[in-house]
Amino acid sequence: MDGVGGLHDQSGPSARCWRPQKGATAGDELEDPARASAGQALGRSRGGLTTKIHFACDGRGLPLAVVVTPGNINDSTVFDTVMDELRVPRTGAGRPRRRPDAVIADKAYSSRAIRQVLRRRGIQAVIPERADQKANRLRRSKASGRPPAFDRDLYKARNVVERSFNRLKQFRAIATRFDKLATRYKAGVHLAALILWLRELPQDSLSERT
């Protein structure tokens, strides 16, 4: 199981389209509309109100974990949540596998906390170091100037997650969010991911299952 981490922003609906859910207290939403929008995975960024998909896939580009948050949420803060969502069933008996051999991610995930988490779990971190982190490391002292391990050849597989996002964007409801509720939008992402998995399976295996 190869871990390939990645992120992408999906455009969200306008805040004017938002309405309170049934069973919710209208006064609370009127008093704090920002909290209500965040509850529906809507956050204000440069492009307006947007929704962000935090996404992990395997080495073939097939989705393994999906987390939906407001668009103004920092990428690295959702890393642990995405990793907790990883569950790959085994071909035989046993619990689902939750620890990939390696995690390939971009510079947005370059932090000491994330590297320590992966090290404790015995997962290889293939994450490039940001320029500012490198400058701070060299400025401190020679003792702390050793760069983190980085496999450049393995990092070439980083484009797998980008291609996987391009495949998800072929679904119009994923590329542009039309759903008002975050739960429905996330369900649509799961459905699109399931379609990608079914397309990957050979036809003979599908006939055997049916």
Side-chain angles (χ1 to χ4, degrees), residues 124-155:
Q124 180 183 1
V126 186
I127 306 174
E129 189 180 22
R130 297 201 310 264
D132 60 330
Q133 293 176 338
K134 181 178 180 180
N136 292 333
R137 174 174 52 80
L138 296 176
R139 189 183 305 114
R140 286 195 297 267
S141 65
K142 294 183 179 180
S144 59
R146 187 176 63 178
F150 178 64
D151 191 332
R152 293 184 178 274
D153 292 333
L154 188 56
Y155 188 72

Side-chain angles (χ1 to χ4, degrees), residues 75-93:
D75 300 345
S76 60
T77 58
V78 197
F79 179 81
D80 291 339
T81 306
V82 175
M83 293 297 295
D84 291 340
E85 293 289 327
L86 288 176
R87 285 176 177 81
V88 178
R90 299 179 184 271
T91 55

Side-chain angles (χ1 to χ4, degrees), residues 1-4 56-60 62-65 82-101 121 197:
M1 169 175 138
D2 297 327
V4 181
C57 68
D58 64 5
R60 298 169 295 174
L62 297 177
L64 296 176
V82 175
M83 293 297 295
D84 291 340
E85 293 289 327
L86 288 176
R87 285 176 177 81
V88 178
R90 299 179 184 271
T91 55
R95 296 180 179 180
R97 223 186 137 178
R98 303 183 59 184
R99 189 178 65 182
D101 298 328
R121 297 183 60 181
W197 272 93

Side-chain angles (χ1 to χ4, degrees), residues 176-209:
T176 302
R177 177 176 168 179
F178 300 101
D179 296 290
K180 178 179 67 176
L181 302 180
T183 54
R184 293 182 180 177
Y185 180 67
K186 185 177 180 180
V189 178
H190 284 166
L191 180 59
L194 178 61
I195 294 175
L196 295 182
W197 272 93
L198 292 176
R199 289 176 179 175
E200 188 72 15
L201 292 176
Q203 295 298 325
D204 53 353
S205 63
L206 289 176
S207 60
E208 292 177 0
R209 297 189 179 205

